Each structure stands twice: as structure tokens, then as C-alpha cells.
DNA sequence: CGCCAGTCTAGAGTGTCGTTCTAATTCTCG
DNA sequence: CGAGAATTAGAACGACACTCTAGACTGGCG
């Protein structure tokens, strides 16, 4: 049994979701900075005005898409951890999931957009921060048993190291693609989890 | 004795420089994303059309300003190294110079802008990459004597760790300001240079 | 000296967006 | 059903980067 509020809220969520999926698809083939609100609207089969009726402005679409993208990646992360044979294998998988697939990686491109113009309200910034924290906690759990006294500190350092590597991949300089980042990360993990 | 070409070239450089200084000043009080070409032009005492006669587009102003800003920071870096009493003190100084002063740090804000829309041509991207490499080399030289076989690898990891920390400071989440980043960096250095 | 070619400069013009407004349609509930 | 609220499309608006145009300046050469 659903009340009116529940029903309309459900519909709203569905429309929002349709927009976000359209946005994600658009970002994948053009890069977030080249995608216009109109592009997203067309893909979602609605007018640009309507898109902005649901998301107050373009930036909110970016942030919401990032949130969606992180959410689905988090699921893959948790599944990978569960399936991994041992901690080392899990860490390897997580590293590969976390690092960008290349200079055009949508998730990282969205992070770059957000960092270029961070949200005004602290609440949203803190919420984005939480996304990073979740990875740190997950990695800390894997590091804890075998490692230095404070696995959390090491995990935090490792995550930030990967952030730095990701940014460099995003820049797209020659010789600094995903493969390079994976190698650097492996070296970093070895040094930090000692 | 200067030929006509030398003279005009010198004048060109002077005008470009005036624009870049105006841009830097503007970025400092509004953040690069909020500064319009017109703002820069006003500060430099010229028309916006004229600014774009020297820099083909807005992005080139951002990149050139970043280059200028990195250049002056590199000088401070080299001076700090020369003046430091020992390697540990030098590393501490370098870390403080490298990390952002806060969420509004102009240099890092410019990096964020560039990463959000990386230059089309590989040459420019490689040139930006070189800026990072210079820091790595500088740190490697300080790490080399006292450290693991490969100081360069450790230096690279440390730089990327700081990049990641910087990005998080830029995001501006609560509790993740400069002081936090400096602490994390210190912990990271201890772990990496072991 | 006086013209010519090239460069510099301001400012108006143009096109592309994000965003807001308006008016119409559809839904919800009494 | 009918009032009012929510939804929708599309036109209108404003801001901005970038381009164009026309005039001013400069330095060389007859």
C-alpha cells in the first residue's frame, strides 16, 4: 500500500534516475566537460528545462552522477573483497577498481569537475568526502591483521597515493597511463604496508 | 643593440606578463573558476579582446598562469633546499611549500582547472608533467643518501601522495585542511623513506 | 619628409550555453 | 467532477568566450 506521497516520490526518483543514467552515458562518450544539459535531456527524452526542474543546476547533475557512479563501484568493491582468496589478492583487486581506466575515466573525470568547482555547502562536500572514507575503511580492514599497528593510517595514505596517481593519469601525459599507475600503486602498497 | 624583432618580442613578453600578473591577482581573490576574461582585462588595463589577442583562449591563460606560479614556487623550493641545515629539514620545508595553503590555494585551484579540461595537445600536457617531475627529482636527491636503494621511486610515491592530499584539501571537507595534510604527509614520508 | 605594411588596440558583434519564465497539461484528492 | 498542485515543453533571458572590424600607431624606405 502506497500513499500519494510515496507514489510521487517514487516517480520522482525514477525520473531522476533516468536523467542520471542518460548523463552517465553522455559523459562516457564525450567527457563531462563537453556534455551540455541539452545533450543529457535529449538522451533522457525530455526537455532541458525539465532536467533542471529536477536538478537545480548543471553542477548538481555532475555531483549526483558521481554519487551514482561511486555507489555502483562500491558494490563491485564489496563483492570483490568477499570473493578474494586472501587479503593480498583483495588489495590488488581494489587497487585496480579504484584507479582510473585511462585519461577518459568517467568517475575520475567527474571528480576533477567537482574539484574544479567544489560545492558551496559543507554538507555536500562532507558527503563526497565520505565516499573516499569508505574506501579507506575497506582497505584498512584488509591491512589491519598483517600490518603495522595502525592499519587505518596506512590505508589512508594508500588511498591518497592512489588519488595522486589517478590525477596524473587524468592529465594524460605520455607514459603515465593506467599501467604505470598500477605499477606505482603496487610499489606504494609494498612500502606502506610494511 | 636590439633589432626591431627583438624589441617587439620583448614588448610582447612584457604585455603577456602584465596579463598573467593581473590574472594571478584576480584568481587570488575570486578563485580561477569565477574570474572572467573581462576581469583580467580590467585589472591589466586593457580590453578583453586584446587579452585574447595574446592568449588565444581562456584556457591558455589558466595554463600560463599555472606555469608562472609553478616557476616562482620552484625558485622558492630551490632556495629552501640550499638554506636547509639537513635533508630532513629540507624535506619538511618542501612539503610545506608543496601542499596547498588551504582550499583556496591558487596554484592547486589552477591544477584542478587544468585537470578538469586537460589541454588537447600532448606537448602541453607533457610540459605540465615536467613541473611535477622537477619536484620528484628534488626530493629524490634529498632521499637518496639516507634511504632505500631507489630514492627516485620513493620520491615519486611521496609526491603523488601529496597530490592526493592536496586534492582532498581542495575539496574542503571539514577537518581536512592544510594542517591535516601536513600531518598525513609527515606520516607518509616516515613510511616511504624507510 | 611622407607613405606603406605590419602590428596593436578597443569595442561591437555573434553564438553557445545555463538558467528562468510562462503557459499548458496532467495528476491527486476531496 | 473541479480546484489546486505537480509536471512538462519550449521560449526568453543573460552571461560569457570568442571573433570581427576599423582605426591608431610604428618603423622602415623611397
Amino acid at each position: 500500500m502506497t500513499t500519494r506521497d510515496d507514489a510521487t516520490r517514487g516517480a520522482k526518483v525514477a525520473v531522476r534516475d533516468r536523467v542520471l543514467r542518460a548523463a552517465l552515458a553522455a559523459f562516457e562518450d564525450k567527457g563531462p566537460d563537453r556534455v551540455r544539459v541539452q545533450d543529457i535531456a535529449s538522451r533522457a527524452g525530455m526537455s532541458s528545462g525539465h532536467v533542471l526542474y529536477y536538478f537545480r543546476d548543471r553542477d548538481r547533475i555532475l555531483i549526483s552522477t558521481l554519487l551514482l557512479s561511486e555507489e555502483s563501484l562500491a558494490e563491485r568493491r564489496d563483492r570483490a573483497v568477499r570473493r578474494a582468496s586472501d587479503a593480498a589478492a583483495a588489495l590488488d583487486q581494489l587497487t585496480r577498481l579504484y584507479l582510473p581506466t585511462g585519461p577518459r575515466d568517467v568517475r575520475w573525470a567527474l571528480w576533477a569537475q567537482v574539484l574544479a568547482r567544489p560545492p558551496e555547502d559543507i554538507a555536500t562536500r562532507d558527503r563526497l568526502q565520505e565516499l573516499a572514507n569508505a574506501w579507506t575503511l575497506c582497505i584498512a580492514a584488509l591491512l589491519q591483521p598483517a600490518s603495522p599497528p595502525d592499519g587505518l593510517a596506512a590505508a589512508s595514505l594508500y588511498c591518497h597515493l592512489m588519488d595522486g596517481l589517478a590525477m596524473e593519469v587524468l592529465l594524460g601525459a605520455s607514459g603515465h597511463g593506467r599501467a604505470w599507475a598500477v605499477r606505482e600503486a603496487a610499489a606504494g602498497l609494498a612500502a606502506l604496508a610494511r
Side-chain angles (χ1 to χ4, degrees), chain A:
Chain A
M1 171 182 100
T2 61
T3 74
R4 172 181 170 268
D5 278 0
D6 286 345
T8 53
R9 197 163 300 156
K12 254 187 177 168
V13 168
V15 175
R16 279 182 61 101
D17 216 60
R18 189 150 56 94
V19 173
L20 292 183
R21 281 176 208 295
L24 203 50
F27 295 159
E28 262 155 20
D29 64 66
K30 287 177 69 178
D33 56 314
R34 300 203 177 287
V35 171
R36 308 291 148 222
V37 173
Q38 177 61 58
D39 299 334
I40 297 170
S42 305
R43 274 178 190 264
M46 54 182 82
S47 70
S48 68
H50 191 39
V51 165
L52 289 167
Y53 170 78
Y54 278 91
F55 300 84
R56 292 162 44 83
D57 54 36
R58 188 178 178 280
D59 281 357
R60 281 170 218 268
I61 305 178
L62 292 183
I63 289 173
S64 300
T65 310
L66 175 56
L67 254 25
L68 178 68
S69 151
E70 284 282 352
E71 196 179 312
S72 87
L73 193 66
E75 275 169 31
R76 290 214 282 157
R77 175 193 65 203
D78 297 340
R79 235 179 305 141
V81 169
R82 258 180 276 118
R83 272 216 291 262
S85 49
D86 61 356
L91 282 169
D92 183 62
Q93 281 301 310
L94 260 56
T95 299
R96 286 169 193 281
L97 278 178
Y98 193 81
L99 290 174
T101 57
R104 298 280 171 82
D105 187 280
V106 174
R107 174 176 156 249
W108 283 103
L110 284 169
W111 271 110
Q113 296 299 316
V114 170
L115 290 171
R117 215 146 8 84
E120 301 278 348
D121 64 307
I122 302 159
T124 304
R125 296 203 301 262
D126 283 351
R127 186 149 166 230
L128 289 165
Q129 178 65 64
E130 275 311 311
L131 296 176
N133 294 348
W135 281 90
T136 303
L137 287 175
C138 184
I139 286 174
L142 292 168
L143 240 36
Q144 200 69 262
S147 258
D150 193 354
L152 192 59
S156 170
L157 292 173
Y158 185 54
C159 282
H160 289 110
L161 169 59
M162 288 195 291
D163 291 344
L165 297 172
M167 287 299 151
E168 195 149 318
V169 170
L170 224 48
L171 177 58
S174 43
H176 292 246
R178 174 178 166 88
W180 165 84
V182 170
R183 277 196 309 276
E184 288 280 306
L189 184 57
L192 290 171
R194 200 170 19 174

